[in-house]
Amino acid sequence: MIIGTQALIQDNVDFYDLKLVVTDEQHRFGVKQRETLAMKGLSPHVLVMSATPIPRTLALILYGDLDISVMNELPADRLPIKNCVVGTNYRSKAYQFIAREVTGGRQAYVICPMVEPGDEESEQSNLENVIEYTEKLRAALPESIRIAYLHGQMKPAQKNDIMERFAANEIQVLVSTTVVEVGVNVPNATVMMIENAERFGLAQLHQLRGRVGRGKDQSYCIMVNASGEEDAGKRLDILNKS
């Protein structure tokens, strides 16, 4: 059995007798990538898995020659996540709510679309960034709450250290970009606050929300629509109600 990244589909990787190909998080791979891996065997069995129903996945379910298995029940003791879509004027209430959850022993994620401040002249200037937002939270939350940030430009060892400390509850609030979108499991985290939620795709938001609600405690997803635009609000409402 070989467990690997997309390195397994490279030309110089050969298999002796490949009989089963499993692709997890299938929405993260291209059609050709999945096909290439299957072609490394002689008609192997193929199992694709996804918790994110992007249009391509739904099209495969409807039109592809696939047998479908649906896991539509939550694991025991899990509660459905409570969602809300709010404007920027709700932030102070959200911070109070995060402080209350942390005081109760739990943890929170805050997601920003940018790593550092953008050029003031650009349209990006109204987007929240991880570096400044961390300082904003440190000023808004009680000093006893430990806050750290995480983004893709950090060195791997640094990222691992932050994630290990968050998993161990040495960090209570993690301000991050979408690097936590998949493969992160911290059951003690109960709040996911997404800044500039209108800037993310529905599949991304669905995945980010899936970082909470992984334990027995009630979890919450707060999506901040900073644009105030009605269309963005309608789109976010799809996720709010599902």
Side-chain angles (χ1 to χ4, degrees):
M1 181 185 282
I2 304 176
I3 300 168
T5 62
Q6 58 264 48
L8 294 181
I9 64 175
Q10 305 309 315
D11 291 342
N12 59 353
V13 177
D14 293 310
F15 297 89
Y16 170 68
D17 187 14
L18 187 62
K19 290 293 186 193
L20 172 65
V21 172
V22 181
T23 308
D24 194 14
E25 305 287 0
Q26 70 96 21
H27 57 279
R28 308 278 293 192
F29 297 91
V31 176
K32 285 280 184 208
Q33 284 184 311
R34 297 202 305 276
E35 198 177 73
T36 302
L37 186 52
M39 296 295 284
K40 287 180 179 286
L42 195 63
S43 297
H45 295 288
V46 176
L47 172 66
V48 295
M49 301 193 290
S50 177
T52 306
I54 62 169
R56 193 177 71 213
T57 309
L58 296 175
L60 273 172
I61 288 170
L62 288 170
Y63 306 116
D65 186 19
L66 299 173
D67 290 324
I68 311 296
S69 297
V70 180
M71 289 187 271
N72 58 3
E73 291 181 3
L74 291 171
D77 300 330
R78 294 236 189 132
L79 299 166
I81 296 163
K82 290 186 176 176
N83 310 291
C84 65
V85 177
V86 296
T88 52
N89 58 346
Y90 186 82
R91 276 189 191 129
S92 59
K93 269 192 182 171
Y95 297 160
Q96 287 168 17
F97 182 70
I98 287 171
R100 204 159 64 238
E101 284 291 296
V102 169
T103 306
R106 286 167 286 282
Q107 292 163 274
Y109 298 92
V110 179
I111 305 299
C112 298
M114 293 184 71
V115 175
E116 293 180 286
D119 176 8
E120 290 304 314
E121 302 305 311
S122 76
E123 59 143 345
Q124 308 288 340
S125 60
N126 66 337
L127 300 184
E128 297 298 332
N129 69 82
V130 165
I131 308 292
E132 289 182 341
Y133 205 97
T134 303
E135 292 312 311
K136 191 194 289 188
L137 271 186
R138 282 179 179 148
L141 295 175
E143 279 183 27
S144 57
I145 294 176
R146 291 185 295 278
I147 304 164
Y149 63 76
L150 180 73
H151 57 76
Q153 293 171 22
M154 294 163 84
K155 292 187 171 129
Q158 206 179 356
K159 282 193 283 193
N160 288 341
D161 177 57
I162 294 284
M163 277 317 303
E164 280 169 17
R165 284 167 54 211
F166 187 62
N169 200 4
E170 290 169 19
I171 293 166
Q172 275 101 35
V173 179
L174 186 63
V175 183
S176 175
T177 57
T178 54
V179 290
V180 296
E181 193 181 328
V182 291
V184 174
N185 183 38
V186 181
N188 192 48
T190 56
V191 183
M192 168 60 71
M193 182 174 175
I194 306 167
E195 284 286 353
N196 298 109
E198 74 282 357
R199 302 289 297 201
F200 299 104
L202 290 180
Q204 271 188 312
L205 291 168
H206 178 75
Q207 281 282 15
L208 289 167
R209 177 172 63 180
R211 297 311 99 205
V212 294
R214 305 177 79 85
K216 63 183 189 319
D217 297 308
Q218 178 65 61
S219 289
Y220 308 86
C221 180
I222 303 163
M223 292 169 272
V224 182
N225 176 9
S227 72
E229 289 171 12
E230 197 180 333
D231 281 356
K234 282 181 186 167
R235 199 170 63 86
L236 291 172
D237 219 39
I238 294 167
L239 212 68
N240 193 18
K241 293 192 167 121
S242 69

